[in-house]
Amino acid sequence: MSNIEHVGPERLPGSFLPQASDLHSGNEHPSINLPFTVVIDGRSYEGVSLSMAAAKINGLAAPGLTQGTRLAMFRFDFGTYVFSLPIAVIIDKANTDTGELDLTFAEPAGPHMPQLRYLLNAWLAGDVVNLHDILQAKSRLPKMAGNHQSHATSGRLAARFIGVAISIAASALLVFGASWLIAGRLYQHAVEGPSMAVWTGPVLRATTSGQLSFFAQNPSNGQPLYTIESPSGAPVTTVLPCDCAVREQYALQGATVLAGEPIAQLNSPDGALVVEALLTPSDINALSDTATIVMTAADGTVHKANLDDVRTKSAGADPSSAMLVTLKPDTVLATSNAHKPVRVMIDTTPALIAAVNDAGTRAFSFLTNWKL
């Protein structure tokens, strides 16, 4: 352990005043409880309190200690260093029962005053004590503004947390926005041709032009379904070809129809809606093995679909002409979408960008549906 001794200017023996300085009369300097020790005539005493003009110590007093002025060595232990400050004191009172001694500084304004005042002020403020750039120590006395500092620290932590959260949210929003923009511009192709939701099942068409003179309501398999009278007056009757029911009737009884015009659509066993889409050459080029077909129905629901049937618009059509395809949704379309347009999108977005877009969609859906 190292000692730092501050002795001040030299004094002649017996130069201390025999009584306390007048500055101590009516002393109002506050006493501070801080750890220190005092050595008087080779004996060490534990410090109780200290002020600018007096001190209280505790220990076994030597006989005759209260007589005359003594040079006391005040020692302040800062761990690695011990700061020693010599002060001339008058021992006013020594209690033999408790061992407590009252010391009065013979010269409160003596050479020790600047160092002692700085030490006491630094201890009260809780600041770092720095003496001549040699000694540094943190006060062990709790600060009076501890609660305020705790609240300030909590406020700073909260502000920092909010700032980090906002930064993360802004970064995520930027990533999601860039991902959606890239996917929309580079990897999503809107089908140009018209698309319509229709019922599955065979469509019966007029075999000749003429007037629809008869249409049965609930025929059975093999019974006449409708009759068309040709311009020559010869009736042409079409029978129900299966054990099924009529899903849609496209022409009313008494109407004039042309050859090839749809008359009725029969109900298929599953009775589901499919989408018929007319694909242009650019639409067909967008299709690939990794492409996903996404349909948005008239009611706003979104469905993935598979290519179910492909056929040219007409026999002997030019290869550059459009193709009529049937798209089968992976989930059932509501019946309210029948005979209504459907928006079809061909999506070739890579898996990584698709995962980012899906995460962004889920997060946005959670935020919009979250209730406080």
Side-chain angles (χ1 to χ4, degrees):
M1 180 178 295
S2 301
N3 291 339
I4 300 176
E5 304 289 347
H6 183 92
V7 297
E10 294 184 0
R11 293 177 177 270
L12 296 176
S15 61
F16 296 118
L17 296 179
Q19 67 274 356
S21 170
D22 293 339
L23 292 176
H24 179 257
S25 178
N27 170 43
E28 295 181 357
H29 293 282
S31 295
I32 301 173
N33 295 324
L34 76 163
F36 69 96
T37 58
V38 178
V39 177
I40 302 175
D41 294 344
R43 279 192 187 183
S44 180
Y45 301 87
E46 182 180 358
V48 177
S49 63
L50 179 64
S51 72
M52 288 295 298
K56 288 183 180 295
I57 58 177
N58 200 334
L60 182 60
L65 192 61
T66 57
Q67 300 175 2
T69 302
R70 310 280 181 169
L71 181 62
M73 188 66 67
F74 285 74
R75 297 181 182 272
F76 303 91
D77 188 358
F78 292 98
T80 306
Y81 299 97
V82 175
F83 175 67
S84 299
L85 187 64
I87 303 175
V89 298
I90 299 173
I91 303 176
D92 294 329
K93 181 174 59 176
N95 192 324
T96 56
D97 295 332
T98 62
E100 187 172 274
L101 290 82
D102 293 341
L103 308 182
T104 301
F105 296 166
E107 294 184 10
H112 66 276
M113 184 185 71
Q115 290 79 13
L116 181 60
R117 179 174 56 193
Y118 180 83
L119 183 63
L120 295 180
N121 289 340
W123 185 271
L124 282 175
D127 296 331
V128 173
V129 177
N130 188 335
L131 298 176
H132 303 293
D133 297 326
I134 297 176
L135 180 64
Q136 292 186 351
K138 194 69 177 177
S139 171
R140 287 171 286 180
L141 185 66
K143 294 185 179 181
M144 299 301 293
N147 293 335
H148 176 73
Q149 185 181 19
S150 176
H151 292 317
T153 302
S154 301
R156 286 194 297 268
L157 290 177
R160 183 178 299 178
F161 175 78
I162 293 174
V164 171
I166 292 175
S167 177
I168 293 175
S171 301
L173 183 61
L174 180 62
V175 171
F176 292 150
S179 177
W180 282 327
L181 182 62
I182 292 173
R185 291 295 183 90
L186 301 180
Y187 301 108
Q188 292 181 355
H189 175 82
V191 172
E192 298 177 2
S195 303
M196 191 74 66
V198 298
W199 292 104
T200 57
V203 176
L204 301 182
R205 301 179 181 273
T207 56
T208 184
S209 299
Q211 184 180 24
L212 186 63
S213 59
F214 169 77
F215 196 99
Q217 296 300 320
N218 295 303
S220 301
N221 186 12
Q223 292 182 348
L225 177 60
Y226 58 86
T227 300
I228 300 176
E229 290 186 6
S230 64
S232 63
V236 179
T237 302
T238 301
V239 299
L240 189 65
C242 59
D243 188 10
C244 53
V246 177
R247 169 68 71 177
E248 294 286 345
Q249 181 180 345
Y250 298 117
L252 298 177
Q253 185 173 332
T256 300
V257 297
L258 300 176
E261 183 177 344
I263 303 299
Q265 183 179 37
L266 304 181
N267 188 13
S268 64
D270 57 4
L273 285 172
V274 295
V275 175
E276 287 187 349
L278 196 63
L279 300 185
T280 63
S282 62
D283 300 330
I284 296 172
N285 291 334
L287 287 173
S288 64
D289 293 340
T290 59
T292 302
I293 302 175
V294 181
M295 305 185 307
T296 304
D299 61 358
T301 56
V302 179
H303 308 264
K304 292 183 179 180
N306 298 315
L307 198 60
D308 190 55
D309 185 22
V310 180
R311 56 190 181 276
T312 57
K313 187 175 182 181
S314 61
D318 187 82
S320 63
S321 63
M323 301 179 67
L324 185 65
V325 301
T326 300
L327 305 176
K328 186 176 182 180
D330 60 349
T331 54
V332 178
L333 292 175
T335 58
S336 60
N337 295 305
H339 306 296
K340 293 182 180 179
V342 177
R343 187 168 69 251
V344 180
M345 184 78 66
I346 299 174
D347 191 351
T348 58
T349 305
L352 178 60
I353 298 179
V356 173
N357 290 346
D358 182 66
T361 302
R362 292 176 182 273
F364 181 76
S365 176
F366 172 78
L367 292 176
T368 53
N369 296 328
W370 183 49
K371 295 181 180 180
L372 294 175

